[in-house]
Amino acid sequence: MTGRTIILAGGSGGLGAVLADFLAQRGARPILGCFRNVDRAREIASDIESRHGVFVPVVAGDVLQEETRVRLMDEASSLGPLYGMVPLVGEPARVPIEEATEEDLLAATRINFVAPVLLARDFTARIGRGDASIVFVSTMQAVGIFPGSTTYAAPKAALIHAARILAHQWGGSHGVRVNVVAPGVTTSGMAEKSVASGKYNPFIERGVIARFGAPLDVARAIGLFLEPDNYVTGQVLTVDGGLTARK
């Protein structure tokens, strides 16, 4: 991935830190987008620069705003031709459907579906044609059936379907691959608090999974789809230790 410029929107969290490091080790140039965690994003960028000698720009702002998306693309383009986009933006939206308001549903849809799709659209418009890769991050809850997850899982399931459409629409001669990684119970990101609370311990106690996932497990899967000249598009890779298959 040497010299490949890859935008990690929402990259100031645990997965973003590990993924940025994973990519920098392979010679890529990550760009971190963040909303509130600006200090954390700068810490990640500084750490990567000191250990790998890779300059990591940080762009702060709400990616639902066009101005922020433009700044992300501009900053990334200043380093070289755009190659990759990984929207890591999202919120867990834990409100049960029985209690959810219209605003709850709209808010979950805006951050978990609208924001990543707009980022992908603007990225593709900016690069034109050529080998490029977009990797959406969904969830195992969009792949398997988990009662109580409607508010969060439905927009994430829509993201998977959108990825398949866009892979068809932007592939071929256009050259943009679109894939999805769907993490399971992982010790960072949106499942971190649930793991810490013991919510998912029964899966290990019953032998459904051998361990909880680590951020590097997810980063490796994303890295697979980001490999240049990849022959895979329109696919979903569920990184859950087999939980959705055995649940």
Side-chain angles (χ1 to χ4, degrees):
M1 294 188 192
T2 301
R4 304 276 177 164
T5 303
I6 301 172
I7 298 173
L8 307 181
S12 61
L15 175 56
V18 172
L19 178 58
D21 185 80
F22 180 86
L23 296 174
Q25 287 183 51
R26 285 150 184 79
R29 297 171 174 172
I31 289 85
L32 296 182
C34 63
F35 186 20
R36 299 183 185 90
N37 299 328
V38 181
D39 290 343
R40 172 61 177 153
R42 288 174 178 159
E43 288 175 7
I44 295 168
S46 177
D47 180 61
I48 290 174
E49 185 170 3
S50 66
R51 290 190 299 110
H52 303 298
V54 177
F55 172 61
V56 180
V58 173
V59 177
D62 183 355
V63 292
L64 284 165
Q65 303 299 316
E66 182 180 8
E67 184 268 341
T68 301
R69 299 194 301 274
V70 169
R71 284 194 294 114
L72 260 176
M73 308 299 165
D74 287 346
E75 189 68 46
S77 298
S78 71
L79 300 179
L82 292 177
Y83 169 73
M85 162 67 75
V86 185
L88 297 165
V89 296
E91 291 288 344
R94 303 183 192 282
V95 184
I97 190 61
E98 292 81 4
E99 302 170 14
T101 64
E102 178 182 359
E103 184 52 41
D104 290 329
L105 294 170
L106 290 174
T109 301
R110 278 169 57 82
I111 191 60
N112 291 310
F113 175 77
V114 176
V117 170
L118 288 177
L119 281 162
R121 181 200 66 183
D122 292 359
F123 171 81
T124 302
R126 181 68 72 95
I127 64 171
R129 296 177 182 273
D131 182 42
S133 176
I134 296 169
V135 185
F136 289 123
V137 179
S138 183
T139 171
M140 69 174 184
Q141 295 178 30
V143 177
I145 304 300
F146 292 81
S149 67
T150 300
T151 310
Y152 174 58
K156 287 291 195 176
L159 189 61
I160 290 175
H161 193 63
R164 289 175 171 141
I165 295 171
L166 297 176
H168 185 279
Q169 188 169 326
W170 295 339
S173 59
H174 201 77
V176 180
R177 291 169 279 109
V178 186
N179 292 289
V180 184
V181 169
V185 182
T186 307
T187 55
S188 71
M190 295 180 199
E192 184 175 7
K193 290 183 179 179
S194 295
V195 171
S197 73
K199 175 181 177 180
Y200 293 117
N201 286 355
F203 289 134
I204 290 182
E205 293 163 359
R206 301 201 318 264
V208 178
I209 53 177
R211 62 173 174 85
F212 296 130
L216 186 57
D217 295 318
V218 183
R220 285 171 177 155
I222 294 172
L224 168 67
F225 288 138
L226 287 173
E227 285 289 340
D229 195 30
N230 200 309
Y231 199 53
V232 181
T233 190
Q235 302 303 309
V236 182
L237 178 54
T238 306
V239 185
D240 69 349
L243 194 155
T244 51
R246 305 188 191 100
K247 175 175 170 291

